[in-house]
């Protein structure tokens, strides 16, 4: 990568992960449920300032992410707090 760019992954690849934006919080919850149903390796659930993310890996260990972006005024619908995320995504991988 160029100066100031992201460092390569551990395997030397410049690809850190591939992210897929979903249209709603409900869609993020459905994605989570589908990943669990199919036995996907969920790496982390994150409560970022501007979005909520599910990090997981595909069967070939490619790092992937589903994320829901907050609306422009900084709130989501429904409002997502750490308690809300924990209730909807009960996982030991949850880190606020």
């Amino acid at each position: 990568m160029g100066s100031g760019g992201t460092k390569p992954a551990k395997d030397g690849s410049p690809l850190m992960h591939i992210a897929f934006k979903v249209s709603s919080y409900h869609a993020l919850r459905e994605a989570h449920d589908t990943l669990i149903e199919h036995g996907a390796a969920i790496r982390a659930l994150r409560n970022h300032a501007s979005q909520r993310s599910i990090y997981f890996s595909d069967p070939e260990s490619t790092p992937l992410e589903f994320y829901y972006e907050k609306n422009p005024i900084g709130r989501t619908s429904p409002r997502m707090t750490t308690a809300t995320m924990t209730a909807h995504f009960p996982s030991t991988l949850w880190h606020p």
Side-chain angles (χ1 to χ4, degrees), residues 11-93:
D11 66 0
S13 166
L15 177 68
M16 296 303 289
H17 75 284
I18 300 170
F20 301 94
K21 183 177 182 179
V22 297
S23 60
S24 67
Y25 179 60
H26 180 75
L28 187 67
R29 289 178 57 191
E30 287 181 338
H32 177 268
D33 293 346
T34 300
L35 291 168
I36 295 296
E37 287 172 18
H38 292 278
I42 295 180
R43 297 181 7 240
L45 303 172
R46 295 283 192 256
N47 181 359
H48 299 291
S50 63
Q51 68 190 40
R52 302 303 185 261
S53 300
I54 301 169
Y55 295 93
F56 61 103
S57 298
D58 71 6
E60 296 177 352
S61 298
T62 303
L64 303 167
E65 172 190 7
F66 283 126
Y67 73 96
Y68 171 58
E69 191 98 23
K70 286 183 171 184
N71 67 30
I73 60 171
R75 291 192 55 183
T76 56
S77 182
R79 185 168 185 203
M80 288 185 287
T81 63
T82 300
T84 303
M85 286 291 289
T86 302
H88 291 294
F89 301 105
S91 173
T92 58
L93 295 175

